[in-house]
Amino acid sequence: MVAPGERGATRIADRVVAKIAAQAAREAVGPLPPDAARPHATVVVRPHARLHVDGRGPVDAAHIRVHLELDYPSDLGPRCHAVRRHVTERVGALVGMEVPEVAVQIERLHLVAAHGAVHGRTR
């Protein structure tokens, strides 16, 4: 039997972490306008300075950028905060990585027409 410190380590691909982050962003944002693109994420994983609890070496840290399209008007600050919090929790729980940074980039806002409003040009 090989000792735990000599077995090696599991490496999770950046694209897997990105898919988990994008799914977490979808969960946090809630329903989107029909013509909105689905949230997607880009991830850079780097070794973090802190060691594992059992001293096995550095913990990996995921630096995440989430790209969103949201409806407008809405309270953008709390929605972005909810995305950051949920992505941090889900990636930490499912992958075991620290998430020191989640940057939320809103790429497009979709104007939500008021009930009974005439479609056309908005001033």
Side-chain angles (χ1 to χ4, degrees), residues 9-28:
T10 301
R11 168 100 168 91
I12 299 173
D14 294 2
R15 65 187 178 99
V16 172
V17 179
K19 286 182 180 186
I20 292 169
Q23 176 62 35
R26 282 191 288 278
E27 293 168 0

Side-chain angles (χ1 to χ4, degrees), residues 86-115:
H86 195 63
V87 167
T88 301
E89 290 172 359
R90 297 293 287 164
V91 170
L94 294 174
V95 183
M97 290 183 180
E98 286 197 7
V99 184
E101 173 188 19
V102 177
V104 177
Q105 181 173 340
I106 300 174
E107 294 185 343
R108 188 169 159 201
L109 295 173
H110 295 267
L111 185 62
V112 177
H115 183 65

Side-chain angles (χ1 to χ4, degrees), residues 51-57:
L51 296 179
H52 279 278
V53 177
D54 60 2
R56 287 186 292 128

Side-chain angles (χ1 to χ4, degrees), residues 38-50:
R38 294 174 59 152
H40 62 281
T42 55
V43 175
V44 175
V45 177
R46 299 182 197 130
H48 200 7
R50 192 174 69 79

